[in-house]
Amino acid sequence: MATKTEDQAADTPAAGTTANEGTTREGATREETAADQATPEQAGTEEAAAEEPEGQDEAPAGQDGPSGVGQGAGAVVAAALGLVSLTGSWIGTVASARESLIGQLQTSSSSSVAKMVKEGYGDAWHANALWAGLFALLALVTGVAVLARPAFGAPGRPQAPWIRSVAWAGVALGVLGLLLAVLKYTDILLGLPSA
């Protein structure tokens, strides 16, 4: 008759136990062996998963939600467009020069001074005002869109304070640029001299 080793004795159910208890004991032994063979990294994740309360969904790494980069870029663009509407743009300068050239070509040397001033400088001034107004309107729309974006975004995710500040600056510059463009176009601000 052969004697049982300790491993064999642990695998077989003891006298007086049922088959279910023996199966449970085998399952527990297998789990202990698997836990002993787990790497430290796996053990750390298992402990973290055990500590995490149930009901919380795990977000994929690097995707915690919207980062606000698009909103920040929109706010900066709104402020830049507002600044361009106040200082002038390359497009406005080119349009102004073009209108000035067209005005010079359309007037003859025998034309009145008032017509030469209007055709040569008035239309150019209005073209510049139109382009400044367009940039101001774009700044205004972009700034308002950035400020309104959180209402349509992820709830509970507030907008960064610097984004709101820069977007408000874009809106303010846009309103000011639009007001100045209208005043320039209607000749209320810096109108043409009377000849």
Side-chain angles (χ1 to χ4, degrees):
M1 202 157 144
T3 60
K4 293 184 178 179
T5 62
E6 289 179 7
D7 291 336
Q8 290 174 341
D11 287 342
T12 58
T17 61
T18 63
N20 287 342
E21 289 176 5
T23 306
T24 305
R25 178 178 272 191
E26 284 179 14
T29 306
R30 288 182 188 147
E31 289 175 6
E32 290 171 3
T33 307
D36 292 341
Q37 293 176 354
T39 63
E41 292 137 1
Q42 291 172 340
T45 56
E46 290 173 5
E47 291 173 4
E51 292 174 3
E52 186 175 319
E54 292 182 23
Q56 290 183 354
D57 294 333
E58 288 185 35
Q63 294 185 5
D64 298 328
S67 64
V69 172
Q71 294 177 21
V76 170
V77 166
L81 286 171
L83 189 63
V84 166
S85 75
L86 292 176
T87 61
S89 66
W90 178 79
I91 295 174
T93 304
V94 169
S96 176
R98 183 176 187 277
E99 285 298 320
S100 179
L101 180 62
I102 290 172
Q104 289 174 4
L105 292 174
Q106 288 178 349
T107 58
S108 64
S109 59
S110 63
S111 298
S112 68
V113 174
K115 184 176 180 181
M116 290 175 70
V117 168
K118 183 191 175 302
E119 293 293 328
Y121 301 105
D123 292 345
W125 183 250
H126 291 160
N128 197 349
L130 279 174
W131 280 102
L134 180 67
F135 277 104
L137 188 63
L138 286 173
L140 186 61
V141 168
T142 306
V144 167
V146 169
L147 289 172
R149 173 65 175 103
F152 304 105
R157 181 93 184 180
Q159 194 174 42
W162 73 268
I163 294 174
R164 283 194 309 268
S165 299
V166 174
W168 275 113
V171 168
L173 289 171
V175 167
L176 185 60
L178 196 57
L179 177 67
L180 289 175
V182 168
L183 291 175
K184 283 186 337 184
Y185 190 80
T186 58
D187 291 330
I188 294 173
L189 177 68
L190 300 173
L192 291 174
S194 60

